[in-house]
Amino acid sequence: TCVLRRPAPHVELMIGTGHAVMDYVPDILAARDAILAAHGRIALFDDLELLTGYDSEVRIALTNWSKPRRDKIVAFHILLRGKMLAMGVTVANLALGGPIQAHHDRPTFEQLLAKQLARR
């Protein structure tokens, strides 16, 4: 499943569990586009710690969306577990020029999210 939250006007918190499929992508991209349209910038926090896998089209679609908007993404943090997801994040990060910060521990991820929320 995919749950989207907006804890601050320019912050999107995506919580993914199970196996990510393309069915989720249109809603994710629409939410991100809405944030950019309203605020001109976005901070992305993807909590994928409980994600068990993903279809490669999902990574490609999210990466392709991010490329032309790279200068409007003010933060990009991903909480993950597992080697397969880590490898996919590495591939996406290389394609985007390095904006993604991958985290393997929840306290660091949550601390960075709290700092971003304090910047409102």
Side-chain angles (χ1 to χ4, degrees), residues 7-8 15-16 24-25 27 32-33 42 45-46 50 53 61 71 78 80 83 88 96 98 105 108-109 112 116 120:
I15 303 167
Y24 304 133
V25 172
D27 290 339
R32 291 178 178 185
D33 282 335
I42 189 169
F45 287 82
D46 295 349
L50 299 178
D71 62 329
I78 299 178
L80 55 94
K83 291 181 182 180
L96 294 173
D105 64 298
T108 299
F109 179 81
L112 291 164
Q116 188 64 230
R120 292 183 189 204

Side-chain angles (χ1 to χ4, degrees), residues 10-110:
H10 74 287
V11 177
E12 182 193 73
L13 173 61
M14 177 176 65
I15 303 167
T17 59
H19 189 88
V21 295
M22 281 299 291
D23 293 348
Y24 304 133
V25 172
D27 290 339
I28 294 167
L29 298 184
R32 291 178 178 185
D33 282 335
I35 291 170
L36 284 175
H39 303 285
R41 64 189 175 111
I42 189 169
L44 300 170
F45 287 82
D46 295 349
D47 180 347
L48 306 179
E49 186 177 37
L50 299 178
L51 200 69
T52 57
Y54 64 93
D55 292 345
S56 60
E57 302 89 39
V58 173
R59 176 185 44 80
I60 292 166
L62 294 175
T63 301
N64 287 342
W65 178 90
S66 299
K67 277 183 189 178
R69 296 160 180 86
R70 170 80 169 79
D71 62 329
K72 297 176 182 179
I73 300 171
V74 297
F76 201 155
H77 298 276
I78 299 178
L79 177 63
L80 55 94
R81 183 185 310 193
K83 291 181 182 180
M84 187 183 87
L85 186 56
M87 191 167 48
V89 169
T90 299
V91 168
N93 204 25
L94 287 171
L96 294 173
I100 300 172
Q101 294 183 38
H103 306 280
H104 299 279
D105 64 298
R106 180 164 294 283
T108 299
F109 179 81
E110 289 181 354

